[in-house]
Amino acid sequence: MKFIVQGLAGKRLAGTIPVLGSKNACLKVFAAAILTSEPVIIKNAPLIEDIFRMRELLASLGAEVENRGRVFRIVAKNIKTRALDDGIAKSLRASIVLAGPMLARFGEVQFSYPGGCVIGKRPIDLFLDGFKKLGARVTSDKQGNRFTVKAKRLRGANICFRLVSVGGTETLMMAATLAAGRTTLHNAAQEPEIIALADFLNKCGARIKGAGTNTITVDGVRSLHGGVFQTPPDRLETGSFAIMGALLGDKLKITNCNPAHILGVIEHLESMGASIKKGRTWLEVTRAKKPLPVNLKTHEYPGFPTDLQAPFAVLLTQAYGTSMLFETVFDGRLTYLEDLNRMGADIVPCDAHRAVFHGPRSLRDREADAPDLRAGLAFIFAALIAKGESIIHNAYNIDRGYEKIEDRFSGIGVNIKRV
Ligand code: EPZ
């Protein structure tokens, strides 16, 4: 499937676009449902491909998963296997977070190296080391592709992450809820999704303190009960739409969001000259006529999110002057820049992490492949400022994280069709 996008030819985006529930918060609560045999209800879930894959993965383990609209009900009472389905896990990096709850509740989990989009195939050493520190035995096949992790009951431990990992923090935090004794996680990730997960687990009987700071302590309990999770607004969707507003908006209103979660992004957009009004649950963004250049360095929360680096790069192609981009969180997350150059941008890659932008440059229509969710969205933004009609292949990668983007963008003046 592909998207066909018409350039706006000087038109501006206006109207209101509501933000949906957070993909990355919701996915982790699907995994947390494995920690209890009682029902877990998830409200305000986004209806996106990654959530559908997670649902399939839970169902393949034997969990009952029902949904009505945006409400999912999960009962992990009759889990029949300890092995995560290979096919699904290979298409979804977030599948690895299930390993923590499976191990904690059943004393065993088997899984293959997780996959996903181009940046999905990243290391899992922090997970394996963490499981070992919690007292588990980790074995793998000869190729190091399939893992078995076992522990009668996990034991609390002092763990310091070598680098800050969102999934690593969430997985070990979940595993530690049922461990014997206290676990302390140092150099933990501080994303709002981690606070949301810890709050939910505490409502289910866990004893977690410090989520949202870099030191989290978890006092293990014997069992957890069920609970209700209200998915918070997606801060990455909020940030994506705010960047879109800074590029093309004329009082583009973004609602149902929490601007407090994207302060780093707002700061960058304002320093480029965008005009941003904000309330507690909304933002209104108008583009700068002549965007100023800015240096961007991605950083763990509360810094500028790596997930918004690609959409922001499109804005940098329109800035009057020279900007520098420095991706510090992931390797291989700048390959999409070649496509922006083919569209007419003037971006000089320095190495795998840094690039220099000269602007502004007019962009031309092109065909491109969405390499991952966020770069896929960046190509839609690039197509909107380009002349003519662009085609973005591999719509699935965009559907992984943005629900029915063509319908939602049509409402603010975008001419986009799914074919
Ligand atoms: C989460 O991925 C998000 N995904 C990603 O969003 C996001 O880009 C990322 O955090 C960083 O903010 C979900 O929440 C489902 P990490 P995660 O472990 O947890 C390295 C999106 O578009 N690392 O924080 O998998 C890793 O290679 C997605 O919504 C190890 O070296 O990311 C990376 O360089 C894409 N060893 C860095 O840590 C490990 O064992 C941070 O990754 C684990 C990670």
Side-chain angles (χ1 to χ4, degrees), residues 23-24 27-28 93-94 119 122-127 163-167 191 236 306-307 329-330 333 373-374:
K23 162 176 91 74
N24 292 346
L27 281 170
K28 314 309 164 54
R93 162 82 186 181
I119 57 159
R122 43 195 186 267
I124 57 168
D125 52 324
L126 300 175
F127 295 76
L163 49 92
V164 179
S165 163
V166 175
E191 271 66 4
L236 298 171
T306 170
D307 295 311
V329 179
F330 283 109
R333 211 172 193 181
L373 158 62
R374 311 295 171 185

mmCIF file of all heavy atoms in Angstrom, residues 23-24 27-28 93-94 119 122-127 163-167 191 236 306-307 329-330 333 373-374, ligand 1:
data_model
loop_
_atom_site.group_PDB
_atom_site.id
_atom_site.type_symbol
_atom_site.label_atom_id
_atom_site.label_comp_id
_atom_site.label_asym_id
_atom_site.label_seq_id
_atom_site.Cartn_x
_atom_site.Cartn_y
_atom_site.Cartn_z
ATOM 1 N N LYS A 23 0.903 5.327 21.675
ATOM 2 C CA LYS A 23 1.298 3.974 21.240
ATOM 3 C C LYS A 23 2.255 3.346 22.239
ATOM 4 O O LYS A 23 2.062 2.213 22.689
ATOM 5 C CB LYS A 23 1.975 4.076 19.864
ATOM 6 C CG LYS A 23 2.806 2.865 19.473
ATOM 7 C CD LYS A 23 3.350 3.000 18.074
ATOM 8 C CE LYS A 23 4.705 3.634 17.946
ATOM 9 N NZ LYS A 23 5.857 2.816 18.345
ATOM 10 N N ASN A 24 3.302 4.088 22.585
ATOM 11 C CA ASN A 24 4.370 3.474 23.376
ATOM 12 C C ASN A 24 3.975 3.252 24.833
ATOM 13 O O ASN A 24 4.536 2.380 25.497
ATOM 14 C CB ASN A 24 5.659 4.293 23.246
ATOM 15 C CG ASN A 24 6.227 4.191 21.834
ATOM 16 O OD1 ASN A 24 5.818 3.327 21.063
ATOM 17 N ND2 ASN A 24 7.147 5.079 21.484
ATOM 18 N N LEU A 27 1.348 -0.006 24.431
ATOM 19 C CA LEU A 27 1.991 -1.299 24.132
ATOM 20 C C LEU A 27 2.529 -1.959 25.391
ATOM 21 O O LEU A 27 2.457 -3.172 25.566
ATOM 22 C CB LEU A 27 3.169 -1.073 23.160
ATOM 23 C CG LEU A 27 2.825 -0.897 21.688
ATOM 24 C CD1 LEU A 27 4.068 -0.450 20.907
ATOM 25 C CD2 LEU A 27 2.281 -2.192 21.102
ATOM 26 N N LYS A 28 3.079 -1.143 26.302
ATOM 27 C CA LYS A 28 3.707 -1.701 27.500
ATOM 28 C C LYS A 28 2.658 -2.216 28.487
ATOM 29 O O LYS A 28 2.921 -3.143 29.252
ATOM 30 C CB LYS A 28 4.596 -0.658 28.186
ATOM 31 C CG LYS A 28 5.514 0.110 27.266
ATOM 32 C CD LYS A 28 6.340 -0.783 26.341
ATOM 33 C CE LYS A 28 6.966 -0.063 25.171
ATOM 34 N NZ LYS A 28 7.773 1.073 25.423
ATOM 35 N N ARG A 93 9.564 -4.803 17.495
ATOM 36 C CA ARG A 93 10.623 -4.664 18.495
ATOM 37 C C ARG A 93 10.044 -4.676 19.921
ATOM 38 O O ARG A 93 10.627 -5.243 20.847
ATOM 39 C CB ARG A 93 11.366 -3.348 18.228
ATOM 40 C CG ARG A 93 12.187 -2.818 19.376
ATOM 41 C CD ARG A 93 13.547 -3.467 19.492
ATOM 42 N NE ARG A 93 14.253 -3.048 20.683
ATOM 43 C CZ ARG A 93 15.470 -3.446 21.023
ATOM 44 N NH1 ARG A 93 16.124 -4.275 20.253
ATOM 45 N NH2 ARG A 93 16.030 -3.041 22.126
ATOM 46 N N ALA A 94 8.883 -4.027 20.096
ATOM 47 C CA ALA A 94 8.310 -3.894 21.444
ATOM 48 C C ALA A 94 7.932 -5.246 22.048
ATOM 49 O O ALA A 94 7.654 -5.337 23.242
ATOM 50 C CB ALA A 94 7.093 -2.976 21.415
ATOM 51 N N ILE A 119 15.149 0.470 12.196
ATOM 52 C CA ILE A 119 15.795 0.714 13.485
ATOM 53 C C ILE A 119 15.324 -0.270 14.551
ATOM 54 O O ILE A 119 15.736 -0.204 15.700
ATOM 55 C CB ILE A 119 15.588 2.164 13.983
ATOM 56 C CG1 ILE A 119 14.106 2.499 14.079
ATOM 57 C CG2 ILE A 119 16.338 3.154 13.141
ATOM 58 C CD1 ILE A 119 13.828 3.656 15.007
ATOM 59 N N ARG A 122 17.744 -3.684 16.944
ATOM 60 C CA ARG A 122 18.823 -3.162 17.779
ATOM 61 C C ARG A 122 19.143 -4.141 18.902
ATOM 62 O O ARG A 122 18.405 -5.091 19.115
ATOM 63 C CB ARG A 122 18.460 -1.770 18.296
ATOM 64 C CG ARG A 122 17.041 -1.582 18.788
ATOM 65 C CD ARG A 122 16.757 -0.089 18.906
ATOM 66 N NE ARG A 122 15.467 0.203 19.496
ATOM 67 C CZ ARG A 122 14.362 0.399 18.823
ATOM 68 N NH1 ARG A 122 14.363 0.272 17.507
ATOM 69 N NH2 ARG A 122 13.235 0.704 19.444
ATOM 70 N N PRO A 123 20.249 -3.906 19.624
ATOM 71 C CA PRO A 123 20.695 -4.912 20.594
ATOM 72 C C PRO A 123 19.694 -5.154 21.725
ATOM 73 O O PRO A 123 18.822 -4.320 22.003
ATOM 74 C CB PRO A 123 21.976 -4.296 21.165
ATOM 75 C CG PRO A 123 22.332 -3.153 20.307
ATOM 76 C CD PRO A 123 21.117 -2.730 19.577
ATOM 77 N N ILE A 124 19.856 -6.322 22.395
ATOM 78 C CA ILE A 124 19.008 -6.627 23.559
ATOM 79 C C ILE A 124 19.888 -6.982 24.765
ATOM 80 O O ILE A 124 19.428 -7.600 25.717
ATOM 81 C CB ILE A 124 17.987 -7.759 23.263
ATOM 82 C CG1 ILE A 124 18.706 -9.035 22.796
ATOM 83 C CG2 ILE A 124 16.963 -7.327 22.241
ATOM 84 C CD1 ILE A 124 17.774 -10.257 22.787
ATOM 85 N N ASP A 125 21.170 -6.587 24.694
ATOM 86 C CA ASP A 125 22.114 -6.945 25.761
ATOM 87 C C ASP A 125 21.668 -6.427 27.137
ATOM 88 O O ASP A 125 21.843 -7.102 28.157
ATOM 89 C CB ASP A 125 23.521 -6.423 25.427
ATOM 90 C CG ASP A 125 23.512 -4.938 25.082
ATOM 91 O OD1 ASP A 125 22.546 -4.477 24.454
ATOM 92 O OD2 ASP A 125 24.462 -4.221 25.471
ATOM 93 N N LEU A 126 21.052 -5.246 27.179
ATOM 94 C CA LEU A 126 20.661 -4.678 28.477
ATOM 95 C C LEU A 126 19.559 -5.522 29.128
ATOM 96 O O LEU A 126 19.479 -5.649 30.347
ATOM 97 C CB LEU A 126 20.165 -3.239 28.319
ATOM 98 C CG LEU A 126 21.176 -2.245 27.718
ATOM 99 C CD1 LEU A 126 20.517 -0.887 27.502
ATOM 100 C CD2 LEU A 126 22.387 -2.083 28.637
ATOM 101 N N PHE A 127 18.696 -6.102 28.279
ATOM 102 C CA PHE A 127 17.618 -6.958 28.785
ATOM 103 C C PHE A 127 18.227 -8.245 29.362
ATOM 104 O O PHE A 127 17.910 -8.650 30.476
ATOM 105 C CB PHE A 127 16.649 -7.332 27.652
ATOM 106 C CG PHE A 127 15.902 -6.169 27.068
ATOM 107 C CD1 PHE A 127 16.507 -5.268 26.207
ATOM 108 C CD2 PHE A 127 14.568 -5.978 27.391
ATOM 109 C CE1 PHE A 127 15.811 -4.205 25.677
ATOM 110 C CE2 PHE A 127 13.860 -4.917 26.867
ATOM 111 C CZ PHE A 127 14.490 -4.022 26.008
ATOM 112 N N LEU A 163 23.548 2.235 29.327
ATOM 113 C CA LEU A 163 23.001 3.394 28.620
ATOM 114 C C LEU A 163 21.505 3.443 28.871
ATOM 115 O O LEU A 163 20.900 2.444 29.258
ATOM 116 C CB LEU A 163 23.348 3.385 27.125
ATOM 117 C CG LEU A 163 23.121 2.139 26.310
ATOM 118 C CD1 LEU A 163 21.751 2.162 25.682
ATOM 119 C CD2 LEU A 163 24.169 2.068 25.218
ATOM 120 N N VAL A 164 20.938 4.613 28.664
ATOM 121 C CA VAL A 164 19.532 4.807 29.017
ATOM 122 C C VAL A 164 18.651 4.089 27.989
ATOM 123 O O VAL A 164 18.754 4.359 26.792
ATOM 124 C CB VAL A 164 19.191 6.317 29.046
ATOM 125 C CG1 VAL A 164 17.731 6.530 29.386
ATOM 126 C CG2 VAL A 164 20.085 7.031 30.037
ATOM 127 N N SER A 165 17.812 3.183 28.445
ATOM 128 C CA SER A 165 16.940 2.431 27.537
ATOM 129 C C SER A 165 15.503 2.462 28.051
ATOM 130 O O SER A 165 15.227 2.081 29.190
ATOM 131 C CB SER A 165 17.429 0.980 27.443
ATOM 132 O OG SER A 165 16.415 0.158 26.897
ATOM 133 N N VAL A 166 14.599 2.904 27.186
ATOM 134 C CA VAL A 166 13.182 2.972 27.560
ATOM 135 C C VAL A 166 12.648 1.552 27.774
ATOM 136 O O VAL A 166 12.145 1.209 28.845
ATOM 137 C CB VAL A 166 12.378 3.696 26.451
ATOM 138 C CG1 VAL A 166 10.898 3.678 26.767
ATOM 139 C CG2 VAL A 166 12.878 5.119 26.275
ATOM 140 N N GLY A 167 12.814 0.697 26.751
ATOM 141 C CA GLY A 167 12.292 -0.669 26.847
ATOM 142 C C GLY A 167 12.984 -1.454 27.953
ATOM 143 O O GLY A 167 12.356 -2.255 28.646
ATOM 144 N N GLU A 191 10.945 8.730 30.584
ATOM 145 C CA GLU A 191 9.836 9.118 29.701
ATOM 146 C C GLU A 191 8.486 9.098 30.437
ATOM 147 O O GLU A 191 8.285 8.281 31.347
ATOM 148 C CB GLU A 191 9.756 8.122 28.533
ATOM 149 C CG GLU A 191 10.582 8.449 27.306
ATOM 150 C CD GLU A 191 12.080 8.420 27.515
ATOM 151 O OE1 GLU A 191 12.549 8.071 28.616
ATOM 152 O OE2 GLU A 191 12.798 8.767 26.573
ATOM 153 N N LEU A 236 4.396 11.885 20.986
ATOM 154 C CA LEU A 236 5.126 11.917 19.709
ATOM 155 C C LEU A 236 4.202 12.346 18.581
ATOM 156 O O LEU A 236 4.609 13.039 17.651
ATOM 157 C CB LEU A 236 5.766 10.560 19.441
ATOM 158 C CG LEU A 236 6.791 10.190 20.520
ATOM 159 C CD1 LEU A 236 7.259 8.762 20.377
ATOM 160 C CD2 LEU A 236 7.981 11.157 20.496
ATOM 161 N N THR A 306 14.342 11.504 19.797
ATOM 162 C CA THR A 306 14.879 10.940 18.542
ATOM 163 C C THR A 306 13.754 10.659 17.546
ATOM 164 O O THR A 306 13.936 10.761 16.341
ATOM 165 C CB THR A 306 15.662 9.636 18.821
ATOM 166 O OG1 THR A 306 15.954 9.002 17.583
ATOM 167 C CG2 THR A 306 14.907 8.665 19.702
ATOM 168 N N ASP A 307 12.554 10.332 18.061
ATOM 169 C CA ASP A 307 11.442 9.989 17.163
ATOM 170 C C ASP A 307 10.942 11.176 16.354
ATOM 171 O O ASP A 307 10.220 11.000 15.384
ATOM 172 C CB ASP A 307 10.286 9.391 17.975
ATOM 173 C CG ASP A 307 10.701 8.086 18.592
ATOM 174 O OD1 ASP A 307 11.248 7.252 17.872
ATOM 175 O OD2 ASP A 307 10.516 7.918 19.813
ATOM 176 N N VAL A 329 20.832 9.097 19.894
ATOM 177 C CA VAL A 329 20.218 7.936 20.536
ATOM 178 C C VAL A 329 20.394 6.650 19.707
ATOM 179 O O VAL A 329 20.716 5.590 20.241
ATOM 180 C CB VAL A 329 18.719 8.192 20.836
ATOM 181 C CG1 VAL A 329 18.070 6.974 21.491
ATOM 182 C CG2 VAL A 329 18.559 9.423 21.720
ATOM 183 N N PHE A 330 20.186 6.756 18.378
ATOM 184 C CA PHE A 330 20.255 5.567 17.527
ATOM 185 C C PHE A 330 21.354 5.670 16.485
ATOM 186 O O PHE A 330 21.688 6.759 16.019
ATOM 187 C CB PHE A 330 18.935 5.382 16.758
ATOM 188 C CG PHE A 330 17.835 4.832 17.599
ATOM 189 C CD1 PHE A 330 16.765 5.625 17.966
ATOM 190 C CD2 PHE A 330 17.854 3.514 18.030
ATOM 191 C CE1 PHE A 330 15.739 5.118 18.744
ATOM 192 C CE2 PHE A 330 16.839 2.997 18.808
ATOM 193 C CZ PHE A 330 15.776 3.796 19.168
ATOM 194 N N ARG A 333 19.870 6.132 11.931
ATOM 195 C CA ARG A 333 18.572 6.808 11.831
ATOM 196 C C ARG A 333 18.644 8.058 10.942
ATOM 197 O O ARG A 333 17.783 8.921 11.013
ATOM 198 C CB ARG A 333 18.047 7.166 13.227
ATOM 199 C CG ARG A 333 16.532 7.133 13.241
ATOM 200 C CD ARG A 333 15.907 7.279 14.585
ATOM 201 N NE ARG A 333 14.480 6.917 14.475
ATOM 202 C CZ ARG A 333 13.606 6.950 15.446
ATOM 203 N NH1 ARG A 333 13.970 7.330 16.642
ATOM 204 N NH2 ARG A 333 12.349 6.620 15.259
ATOM 205 N N LEU A 373 8.522 4.342 10.838
ATOM 206 C CA LEU A 373 7.321 5.126 11.116
ATOM 207 C C LEU A 373 7.559 6.641 11.027
ATOM 208 O O LEU A 373 6.816 7.362 10.365
ATOM 209 C CB LEU A 373 6.903 4.692 12.525
ATOM 210 C CG LEU A 373 6.047 5.524 13.411
ATOM 211 C CD1 LEU A 373 4.710 5.727 12.761
ATOM 212 C CD2 LEU A 373 5.864 4.770 14.738
ATOM 213 N N ARG A 374 8.583 7.120 11.713
ATOM 214 C CA ARG A 374 8.774 8.576 11.821
ATOM 215 C C ARG A 374 9.347 9.159 10.524
ATOM 216 O O ARG A 374 8.965 10.247 10.109
ATOM 217 C CB ARG A 374 9.660 8.924 13.005
ATOM 218 C CG ARG A 374 9.259 8.256 14.313
ATOM 219 C CD ARG A 374 7.904 8.698 14.838
ATOM 220 N NE ARG A 374 7.493 7.862 15.979
ATOM 221 C CZ ARG A 374 6.330 7.938 16.583
ATOM 222 N NH1 ARG A 374 5.417 8.788 16.166
ATOM 223 N NH2 ARG A 374 6.027 7.147 17.596
HETATM 224 C C1 EPZ B 1 11.524 3.127 22.606
HETATM 225 O O1 EPZ B 1 12.259 2.092 21.961
HETATM 226 C C2 EPZ B 1 10.442 3.557 21.660
HETATM 227 N N1 EPZ B 1 9.616 2.398 21.313
HETATM 228 C C3 EPZ B 1 11.059 4.116 20.382
HETATM 229 O O2 EPZ B 1 10.002 4.631 19.592
HETATM 230 C C4 EPZ B 1 11.999 5.260 20.744
HETATM 231 O O3 EPZ B 1 12.663 5.689 19.580
HETATM 232 C C5 EPZ B 1 13.040 4.789 21.759
HETATM 233 O O4 EPZ B 1 12.369 4.229 22.916
HETATM 234 C C6 EPZ B 1 13.957 5.901 22.259
HETATM 235 O O5 EPZ B 1 13.189 6.925 22.799
HETATM 236 C C7 EPZ B 1 8.693 1.963 22.136
HETATM 237 O O6 EPZ B 1 8.478 2.483 23.232
HETATM 238 C C8 EPZ B 1 7.860 0.822 21.671
HETATM 239 P P1 EPZ B 1 15.755 2.163 23.750
HETATM 240 P P2 EPZ B 1 13.274 1.198 22.783
HETATM 241 O O7 EPZ B 1 15.974 0.844 24.372
HETATM 242 O O8 EPZ B 1 12.819 1.105 24.169
HETATM 243 C C9 EPZ B 1 20.246 0.930 22.595
HETATM 244 C C10 EPZ B 1 8.625 4.873 17.717
HETATM 245 O O9 EPZ B 1 8.800 5.390 16.602
HETATM 246 N N2 EPZ B 1 20.049 -0.368 23.263
HETATM 247 O O10 EPZ B 1 15.506 3.331 24.648
HETATM 248 O O11 EPZ B 1 13.446 -0.054 22.024
HETATM 249 C C11 EPZ B 1 19.449 1.065 21.300
HETATM 250 O O12 EPZ B 1 20.115 0.464 20.229
HETATM 251 C C12 EPZ B 1 9.702 3.993 18.332
HETATM 252 O O13 EPZ B 1 7.586 5.018 18.374
HETATM 253 C C13 EPZ B 1 21.126 -1.199 23.457
HETATM 254 O O14 EPZ B 1 22.251 -0.916 23.047
HETATM 255 O O15 EPZ B 1 14.595 2.069 22.673
HETATM 256 C C14 EPZ B 1 19.357 2.567 21.175
HETATM 257 O O16 EPZ B 1 20.522 3.064 20.583
HETATM 258 C C15 EPZ B 1 10.845 3.766 17.402
HETATM 259 N N3 EPZ B 1 20.923 -2.391 24.102
HETATM 260 C C16 EPZ B 1 19.303 3.056 22.636
HETATM 261 O O17 EPZ B 1 19.739 1.944 23.418
HETATM 262 C C17 EPZ B 1 19.700 -2.762 24.558
HETATM 263 O O18 EPZ B 1 19.595 -3.863 25.131
HETATM 264 C C18 EPZ B 1 17.937 3.472 23.135
HETATM 265 O O19 EPZ B 1 16.995 2.474 22.808
HETATM 266 C C19 EPZ B 1 18.614 -1.889 24.381
HETATM 267 C C20 EPZ B 1 18.809 -0.696 23.723
#
